Amino acid sequence: MKTIVSGIQPTGSINVGTYLGSIRNFVALQDAMPEHHFYIFIADMHAITVQRDRLELRKTIKELAAIYLACGLNPERVSLFIQSEVIAHAQMAHLLECHAYIGELERMTQFKEKARAQESGVSVGLFTYPVLMAGDILLYDAEYVPVGDDQKQHLELTRDIAIRMNNRYGECLRVPKPLFPKIGARIMSLTEPTKKMSKSDTNVKSKIHLLDDDAIIRKRIMSAVTDSEGVVRFDKDNKPGISNLMAIYGAVTNLEYEAIENAFKDADYQTFKKAVADALVGEIAPIKARYKAIVESGQVDEILDEGAEQARRLAQKKIAKLYHKVGLGRKRK
Ligand code: TYM
């Protein structure tokens, strides 16, 4: 069975960037690639690489599980689980840490950015974070890993570690390929469109959460930063604000940039923004409705139990094989 693996950190509410860069793509792929099985998880072990409020984290883990389902992940196609409930992730992380180099981790731009953002007490876990992530992927022999553009470097590291171990021990790991959405791989902040829309941004106006009210969604789009040219044209360097709104619109409507430019060639920014807001509200409304129904149904725990069980089955076998490959433990007669 071929597999596809991906995860999201349960750190704050899911925003439109995370949704368009990852979850929306998971749902599309689950339908488009019927021969693959999906392992999609809540990356809670990644979340504690920086200090968190534990009660808030617990709450967000369950919220993310319900969001995944509300967005359309189908438990028959996807093993949906919480990373920390599958112990093999921790075992795999140690195994890979012994095959990753300090120098290559020091080059990780996300580590450098996150470490810089902290005043003191940068954890070792934050440093080794990309190796934990490599383990998440290699544990399930993922063929593809659907992610947003900001995970590119982590995927390259994952591939490097896999190739290194294959060279050292003989073929034991599948070298995975990233899958980026065609449009929406990097959604930018609505207030500073040269920065990524981020869960950790403290400016609430910079982002839209999937569970925001329609009125808030409209307000955020209508007040998004643009430019003074007044032409709906894709030009990331000179018109980052409008280009970002085009990315959001394109991702939701499946229209290419050229088609959007043509459709709005005589429109002013107000008209275009209104169309973006309408499209987004239309996309998110059913997700919000399903979210409520899923939370009320009380099915989430059962789905997570089942998902963890399926993930464990595959992951434990893989760990046992790898331990044997590198010479851990003993040979039984
Ligand atoms: P995280 O939680 O930061 O983001 C989850 C996914 O959403 C994508 N994303 C975006 N895409 C477009 N525009 C944005 N503004 C935006 N913000 C986030 C991310 O690229 C990602 O795909 N390390 C990962 C979680 C992880 C993982 C894994 C992913 C842990 N193990 C194994 C894949 C495979 C992370 O922090 O993503």
Side-chain angles (χ1 to χ4, degrees):
M1 169 68 83
K2 292 182 186 169
T3 58
I4 292 187
V5 172
S6 199
I8 296 178
Q9 290 192 71
T11 52
S13 297
I14 295 302
N15 64 50
V16 160
T18 310
Y19 170 68
L20 296 178
S22 67
I23 309 180
R24 195 175 193 275
N25 208 19
F26 304 163
V27 176
L29 294 168
Q30 120 196 308
D31 299 330
M33 302 178 86
E35 74 285 12
H36 286 75
H37 186 74
F38 289 67
Y39 290 87
I40 303 286
F41 59 93
I42 296 159
D44 59 343
M45 291 167 72
H46 283 84
I48 60 162
T49 55
V50 300
Q51 260 191 46
R52 308 253 167 229
D53 180 285
R54 70 187 190 93
L55 297 178
E56 184 61 31
L57 177 59
R58 283 258 158 78
K59 193 174 128 243
T60 320
I61 289 171
K62 277 296 265 299
E63 183 182 301
L64 178 53
I67 292 248
Y68 272 136
L69 295 166
C71 290
L73 285 189
N74 171 1
E76 288 187 359
R77 299 276 299 114
V78 177
S79 299
L80 180 63
F81 65 98
I82 301 174
Q83 182 187 27
S84 64
E85 293 184 356
V86 180
I87 198 81
H89 286 258
Q91 296 172 300
M92 187 71 165
H94 174 73
L95 194 62
L96 299 190
E97 273 166 28
C98 299
H99 297 83
Y101 302 138
I102 289 176
E104 59 192 354
L105 293 188
E106 278 171 343
R107 285 196 294 275
M108 294 291 122
T109 50
Q110 276 210 351
F111 168 70
K112 286 193 269 189
E113 280 166 17
K114 286 189 183 172
R116 225 179 289 129
Q118 280 176 246
E119 274 160 25
S120 61
V122 175
S123 74
V124 176
L126 187 66
F127 184 62
T128 55
Y129 174 117
V131 187
L132 178 63
M133 176 165 164
D136 300 336
I137 297 166
L138 300 178
L139 205 44
Y140 300 95
D141 284 321
E143 181 175 10
Y144 296 112
V145 184
V147 278
D149 181 318
D150 60 346
Q151 300 300 318
K152 208 174 195 167
Q153 202 185 21
H154 292 159
L155 257 298
E156 275 159 22
L157 176 78
T158 305
R159 292 170 55 88
D160 288 346
I161 296 175
I163 292 167
R164 186 174 305 148
M165 288 185 71
N166 285 343
N167 286 339
R168 199 171 298 174
Y169 303 106
E171 285 300 307
C172 56
L173 295 168
R174 182 190 277 271
V175 182
K177 294 186 257 317
L179 270 187
F180 304 108
K182 207 163 153 218
I183 294 188
R186 180 175 287 253
I187 299 295
M188 311 305 271
S189 151
L190 298 173
T191 47
E192 288 175 79
T194 49
K195 258 177 42 183
K196 189 185 75 169
M197 183 183 285
S198 159
K199 281 183 256 171
S200 57
D201 197 327
T202 49
N203 181 358
V204 290
K205 293 185 179 160
S206 70
K207 54 193 162 183
I208 291 168
H209 293 131
L210 281 190
L211 301 178
D212 277 343
D213 287 341
D214 293 358
I216 299 269
I217 299 175
R218 289 185 190 282
K219 199 162 133 197
R220 299 272 183 269
I221 295 289
M222 296 313 286
S223 59
V225 166
T226 52
D227 56 71
S228 56
E229 192 194 32
V231 180
V232 178
R233 182 169 63 80
F234 190 81
D235 179 348
K236 230 171 161 175
D237 297 332
N238 299 308
K239 295 165 68 70
I242 279 293
S243 301
N244 190 37
L245 293 178
M246 289 177 72
I248 293 174
Y249 190 69
V252 170
T253 58
N254 296 320
L255 286 175
E256 310 249 341
Y257 293 134
E258 215 186 303
I260 301 173
E261 286 173 353
N262 283 334
F264 292 94
K265 65 177 182 309
D266 300 319
D268 58 16
Y269 285 171
Q270 283 290 101
T271 311
F272 176 56
K273 280 178 161 178
K274 190 162 175 310
V276 178
D278 285 345
L280 204 51
V281 165
E283 171 90 5
I284 293 178
I287 295 176
K288 279 191 294 200
R290 280 197 298 264
Y291 177 83
K292 214 167 151 267
I294 284 161
V295 170
E296 281 163 11
S297 76
Q299 315 164 326
V300 177
D301 279 319
E302 214 177 292
I303 292 170
L304 289 173
D305 284 345
E306 179 68 21
E309 187 54 45
Q310 292 163 355
R312 257 178 237 129
R313 236 175 276 145
L314 196 61
Q316 270 168 2
K317 258 195 227 149
K318 187 75 192 177
I319 275 291
K321 262 194 205 155
L322 289 170
Y323 273 17
H324 182 73
K325 272 271 182 202
V326 305
L328 291 178
R330 62 198 150 120
K331 199 162 185 171
R332 290 180 187 272
K333 292 216 174 82

